[in-house]
Amino acid sequence: MRHLVPLLFGILLLIHDTRNAHGLSVAPTRLKSTALFAAKQQQSKTKRATRNSVGNRTKSSSGFGGAAVEACPCGSNLGYIKCCGKIHKDPKAYGQATAEQVVRARYSAYAKREIDFIIGSTHPLNKDFMVDIQHWKDTIANNCYDNFELKKCEILDESYEGEGDSQIAKVKFVATMIQVDTREKTAFMETSTFERAGKHIREGAWLYKSGIVEPVPENDE
């Protein structure tokens, strides 16, 4: 039984590859919540001499070309630039985004290696927030999920409590990944909590504060 240690959306998961009838790995047996998209992955002791295009993906660029027409990794069926790419590149768009849109954008940020956005959308009171930003960047860059294709972030529920600066948002979602070599699907479910840090911080945007991970129901794909 192979252990898969994905690092995504603020969790450190040790997933046993048990499959349902659809071939989807589900029901992680050990779960530990950490910073969304900022956990540390166990490094391989050997490196491949060559890597495929997914492993060699680089930070996205705005403007014309492929990035303008490619599908957004979040699975919205919109183009990247019109969906999560706009939130990644435009501070005002990020400030106006709903908590659901921020979850999608953080998922896509790993697919696109938008490390600045991953860090910038993390609440300073998140228990895994790092004061040493460069070290944090290096950690994410070394664990940017290059051996997986990120194609879908399904939002299950979105709710808001309170008003004004004290408002809290919670988003429940299922993130799906495909292992590049084996084409095996893996998924996890998380309920993320978002808060604002003030009108002058990231244009008053929602910032990821914490997350609770649950097994994906066996009948879900």
Side-chain angles (χ1 to χ4, degrees), residues 189-214:
M189 183 164 63
E190 178 178 331
T191 299
S192 297
T193 297
F194 289 84
E195 294 183 16
R196 297 184 176 97
K199 295 180 180 180
H200 302 295
I201 304 298
R202 305 293 179 183
E203 303 285 340
W206 289 109
L207 302 173
Y208 174 71
K209 191 172 184 180
S210 64
I212 298 175
V213 180
E214 305 172 72

Side-chain angles (χ1 to χ4, degrees), residues 111-147:
K112 294 294 184 181
R113 299 186 69 86
E114 291 289 343
I115 297 175
D116 287 341
F117 182 81
I118 295 170
I119 291 175
S121 58
T122 301
H123 198 287
L125 295 182
N126 183 297
K127 67 183 182 65
D128 293 286
F129 188 92
M130 294 186 183
V131 176
D132 187 341
I133 300 299
Q134 187 57 53
H135 175 67
W136 194 0
K137 287 183 178 182
D138 293 342
T139 300
I140 297 175
N142 291 331
N143 302 294
C144 217
Y145 231 28
D146 290 337
N147 291 328

Side-chain angles (χ1 to χ4, degrees), residues 64-124:
F64 300 100
V69 296
E70 65 181 325
C72 191
C74 77
S76 65
N77 295 321
L78 297 175
Y80 169 68
I81 294 301
K82 293 184 178 180
C83 190
C84 294
K86 185 176 182 180
I87 298 176
H88 291 165
K89 304 297 184 181
D90 185 351
K92 289 186 178 180
Y94 173 36
Q96 297 171 358
T98 64
E100 173 197 347
Q101 291 172 322
V102 176
V103 166
R104 291 182 181 277
R106 286 176 64 87
Y107 177 91
S108 296
Y110 247 50
K112 294 294 184 181
R113 299 186 69 86
E114 291 289 343
I115 297 175
D116 287 341
F117 182 81
I118 295 170
I119 291 175
S121 58
T122 301
H123 198 287

Side-chain angles (χ1 to χ4, degrees), residues 19-41:
R19 303 182 183 180
N20 60 16
H22 302 286
L24 177 64
S25 296
V26 295
T29 58
R30 292 176 59 192
L31 306 172
K32 180 180 179 182
S33 177
T34 61
L36 184 63
F37 273 129
K40 183 176 182 181
Q41 183 180 27

